[in-house]
Amino acid sequence: MSLHKSLPRTLWTFGQPCPSLTSSSPADGISRPPLPAMAVLPLLLCLLPLAPASSPPQPASPSPCPRRCRCQTQSLPLSVLCPGAGLLFVPPSLDRRAAELRLADNFIATVRRRDLANMTGLLHLSLSRNTIRHVAAGAFSDLRALRALHLDGNRLTSLGEGQLRGLVNLRHLILSNNQLAALAAGALDDCAETLEDLDLSYNNLEQLPWEALGRLGNVNTLGLDHNLLASVPAGAFSRLHKLARLDMTSNRLTTIPPDPLFSRLPLLARPRGSPASALVLAFGGNPLHCNCELVWLRRLAREDDLEACASPPALGGRYFWAVGEEEFVCEPPVVTHRSPPLAVPAGRPAALRCRAVGDPEPRVRWVSPQGRLLGNSSRARAFPNGTLELLVTEPGDGGIFTCIAANAAGEATAAVELTVGPPPPPQLANSTSCDPPRDGEPDALTPPSAASASASAKAAEAGAPTDRGVQVTEHGATAALVQWPDQRPIPGIRMYQIQYNSSADDILVYRMIPAESSSFLLTDLASGRTYDLCVLAVYEDGATGLTATRPVGCNRFSTEPALRPCGAPHAPFLGGTMIIALGGVIVASVLVFIFVLLMRYKVHGGQPPGKTKASAPVSSVCSQTNGALGPTPALPAPEPTAPRAHTVVQLDCEPWGPSHEPTGP
């Protein structure tokens, strides 16, 4: 019997009560045998609750939490916490719905583009104290909701324009304790309008994109301390109207320029008890140069702090706020050195030099004879040390150039005369006037020429130190003979000292001369320069027993200009000469060939070779076979005719031997 026939009918009707699985007596009192094992399965089906026809969709299960991390997924917002988990990279199994991700104190070395992709709801990201050296461009481009990014305590050396791309809602950016040496001008463009806190402290920044920092209109705190900043441009913070704290501690700042922001807000050293509108400015630990440029800062009312002066020497080490305003002084510039009158031929370069001292260090500028301010151009270069170099001089460049040295205390001027003469004549290769001295051969010394005497006279008019006691009797291009009177009457004289420097620099050169000498030959001079020279006597002071010096005298002289070495002709000259010579040889060869043809034509009486006239007897015949004499063909005997004019042609050829002499008739 089949299984369904042995089961009660109610088992096949859903919704009806299931019969008992035991053999207990039913209600009708009829005893039935136990159900077989195969009949139990259909009975169990009726015990299962039936699922409804359509059920609501269940929420997606969250991604598994990365190993060694703790995930708070019970309620929104989601958080993934992995601090100090020993991670070498960003876990790939992150829940992309997370709002907070903490990966601090790990060993992550790089942040790749795919590590944080599609995390559009992330609000807080901490990557502090890892070993991050590289952040891929666009690594944060999907984090448009991010509010805080912590990258402090890593090994970043630079920050480019694309590495912070997409952070349009960033409020806090912490980049301290890295190795940043460069910050791109456009690195903060996407978050410039929203950034409120920027920390760049404890890095290696020498320069900053001040124009980019000036666009952070909502920034409240700006940390630039413990870097290598040596200067801050004037007005760098003028547009930061919401700035409440500016920290520039421990940099290399010698001065802080006045800024409109500083004059609008009171400056305080500490935030305690300060009004809401006060600016907390910290600038201690800098080598401040306390001169008149910092008077504006000294006049501001602020609480005590630990700033101190590093210079000038009179104020070095003194507490900044204890120095009176009258002691913050500057020294006007003084021109200490300028080029003597220069004369150069047209087409040659010329260098005009001007040195000035003052406090603060003056800035040197040049004005042309036409009254124009000179700077870097295609024909001139102005250097920060006060040198103006004219690359190629022209006849119209001559005149009086004015050197202007200016600082906060005033300005000083000096005139430098430049004469531009005609271009020099071309030098001939066999000219002896441009032969340089051979190696090891001393420069020939000559008495001062008229040009050098004129230069010395002009130098004397300019206030050069001269003394009849010290004479430069002879000099050349690289050597000069210095003589001075005998100083043996000075008791205890030990030696002489010669000091000299050229017009090209301010470096003094010293020479020690024995006490018995009264002259010395200088052999290490430069040609075409003016030298200031002084001779001092070194002696032992009998009163004190110490070594003392006494000036013997000073003089100024100019060395002769060096003759240019006669170098080999230029390559274009050699090429043209060779072409001309080769062309001349070819033309001469053609002319010789034509001449030979004409001579042969005349020899044969106007007929081509091989068709000699029979009526024109030849008195002499030569063989033209390069000197090889072959057998001479027999000549026909002349017919007895009337005497005719013989054509006699003599050629430079071998004389006939005895066997070739013609026989008589």
Side-chain angles (χ1 to χ4, degrees):
M1 184 176 61
S2 62
L3 179 62
H4 71 277
K5 291 183 178 180
S6 63
L7 296 177
R9 185 177 300 273
T10 56
L11 294 176
W12 299 103
T13 304
F14 290 102
Q16 300 296 328
C18 294
S20 176
L21 297 180
T22 65
S23 58
S24 59
S25 299
D28 54 3
I30 301 175
S31 176
R32 294 182 178 87
L35 294 176
M38 295 299 297
V40 176
L41 181 61
L43 292 175
L44 294 175
L45 293 177
C46 68
L47 300 177
L48 298 175
L50 298 178
S54 61
S55 59
Q58 298 295 328
S61 60
S63 301
C65 188
R67 187 180 179 184
R68 300 181 183 179
C69 297
R70 292 182 296 106
C71 299
Q72 299 175 359
T73 59
Q74 301 300 327
S75 61
L76 295 177
L78 305 179
S79 298
V80 180
L81 309 178
C82 308
L87 301 177
L88 300 179
F89 47 84
V90 178
S93 58
L94 291 174
D95 193 333
R96 302 295 161 173
R97 301 172 302 166
E100 182 181 14
L101 177 59
R102 296 183 182 273
L103 298 171
D105 300 301
N106 283 287
F107 303 98
I108 300 173
T110 182
V111 181
R112 299 166 294 184
R113 175 65 180 86
R114 64 177 180 270
D115 289 341
L116 303 170
N118 300 324
M119 301 190 71
T120 55
L122 192 63
L123 299 176
H124 184 95
L125 174 60
S126 177
L127 291 165
S128 304
R129 297 176 298 279
N130 277 275
T131 60
I132 298 175
R133 295 178 179 270
H134 175 67
V135 175
F140 307 124
S141 58
D142 290 346
L143 311 183
R144 294 188 170 271
L146 193 68
R147 298 293 191 271
L149 175 59
H150 292 259
L151 282 169
D152 53 296
N154 284 284
R155 301 177 183 177
L156 296 173
T157 58
S158 62
L159 198 63
E161 296 185 356
Q163 291 175 291
L164 299 180
R165 185 187 308 144
L167 302 178
V168 294
N169 287 301
L170 193 64
R171 302 289 192 272
H172 308 279
L173 178 58
I174 312 301
L175 292 167
S176 59
N177 286 283
N178 275 277
Q179 301 171 8
L180 290 174
L183 188 67
L188 305 176
D189 284 353
D190 286 5
C191 56
E193 297 181 357
T194 61
L195 202 61
E196 299 176 358
D197 185 11
L198 176 60
D199 191 356
L200 294 170
S201 60
Y202 290 92
N203 280 288
N204 299 325
L205 295 170
E206 297 182 3
Q207 298 290 335
L208 279 175
W210 296 105
E211 183 64 27
L213 293 182
R215 296 197 299 267
L216 306 179
N218 290 316
V219 68
N220 296 322
T221 303
L222 181 57
L224 303 175
D225 56 290
H226 295 87
N227 277 282
L228 305 176
L229 301 176
S231 63
V232 176
F237 311 111
S238 59
R239 291 179 289 177
L240 307 184
H241 302 288
K242 296 184 179 181
L243 189 62
R245 179 177 178 82
L246 175 60
D247 194 347
M248 294 187 294
T249 305
S250 298
N251 278 277
R252 297 179 178 177
L253 300 174
T254 58
T255 186
I256 300 176
D259 197 282
L261 178 67
F262 301 152
S263 60
R264 289 196 306 267
L265 301 177
L267 298 181
L268 298 173
R270 301 180 182 89
R272 276 183 292 176
S274 60
S277 61
L279 172 62
V280 178
L281 174 63
F283 58 91
N286 286 283
L288 296 177
H289 183 65
C290 297
N291 60 1
C292 63
E293 292 182 316
L294 287 180
V295 172
W296 71 271
L297 185 58
R298 178 62 182 83
R299 292 174 178 173
L300 296 178
R302 55 170 289 164
E303 298 178 5
D304 291 341
D305 205 354
L306 301 179
E307 291 86 4
C309 297
S311 59
L315 302 178
R318 292 183 58 183
Y319 179 53
F320 181 83
W321 302 103
V323 179
E325 292 185 16
E326 66 280 359
E327 298 184 71
F328 287 81
V329 296
C330 291
E331 297 179 2
V334 176
V335 177
T336 59
H337 176 78
R338 59 177 176 173
S339 297
L342 298 179
V344 296
R348 299 284 182 84
L352 309 179
R353 294 177 173 85
C354 182
R355 302 287 190 273
V357 295
D359 185 15
E361 183 178 358
R363 179 186 176 188
V364 177
R365 294 172 297 173
W366 287 90
V367 177
S368 68
Q370 293 77 24
R372 292 178 288 123
L373 187 64
L374 299 176
N376 292 330
S377 64
S378 59
R379 296 186 56 244
R381 288 186 299 179
F383 296 92
N385 62 356
T387 299
L388 176 67
E389 182 177 0
L390 303 178
L391 303 180
V392 180
T393 56
E394 297 179 356
D397 292 336
I400 303 297
F401 287 78
T402 304
C403 159
I404 302 176
N407 65 5
E411 65 179 29
T413 61
V416 177
E417 182 181 0
L418 175 65
T419 303
V420 181
Q427 299 283 349
L428 300 178
N430 59 353
S431 174
T432 59
S433 62
C434 57
D435 292 336
R438 287 173 288 184
D439 295 340
E441 185 176 303
D443 185 22
L445 300 180
T446 58
S449 61
S452 61
S454 176
S456 299
K458 291 183 179 180
E461 294 176 1
T466 57
D467 196 315
R468 294 296 180 183
V470 176
Q471 299 293 329
V472 181
T473 56
E474 297 177 353
H475 57 77
T478 60
L481 181 61
V482 183
Q483 295 181 343
W484 60 89
D486 188 8
Q487 302 293 319
R488 279 180 291 184
I490 300 178
I493 185 170
R494 293 183 175 182
M495 65 187 70
Y496 293 102
Q497 184 185 74
I498 296 181
Q499 302 178 1
Y500 61 94
N501 68 317
S502 70
S503 58
D505 53 58
D506 298 329
I507 300 175
L508 280 175
V509 182
Y510 298 89
R511 291 289 183 270
M512 307 306 295
I513 314 300
E516 60 273 9
S517 302
S518 60
S519 63
F520 186 74
L521 177 63
L522 299 175
T523 59
D524 57 350
L525 306 178
S527 59
R529 293 186 181 180
T530 301
Y531 285 87
D532 294 325
L533 179 143
C534 292
V535 178
L536 293 85
V538 181
Y539 67 97
E540 182 179 356
D541 190 355
T544 61
L546 301 177
T547 302
T549 58
R550 176 181 298 179
V552 176
C554 299
N555 205 330
R556 172 175 286 186
F557 64 95
S558 300
T559 55
E560 299 290 341
L563 298 177
R564 290 192 307 166
C566 295
H570 295 292
F573 175 77
L574 291 176
T577 303
M578 294 299 296
I579 292 174
I580 294 174
L582 184 60
V585 171
I586 294 174
V587 171
S589 301
V590 172
L591 292 177
V592 170
F593 180 73
I594 295 174
F595 177 76
V596 171
L597 290 180
L598 290 176
M599 292 300 299
R600 292 188 64 183
Y601 185 78
K602 289 183 179 181
V603 166
H604 291 80
Q607 296 293 332
K611 296 182 180 181
T612 308
K613 291 182 180 180
S615 61
V618 180
S619 61
S620 177
V621 178
C622 297
S623 175
Q624 298 181 5
T625 58
N626 295 330
L629 299 177
T632 304
L635 298 177
E639 297 180 0
T641 56
R644 294 183 180 180
H646 294 275
T647 303
V648 180
V649 178
Q650 294 183 356
L651 299 178
D652 296 335
C653 49
E654 297 287 340
W656 286 37
S659 59
H660 294 282
E661 294 179 359
T663 58

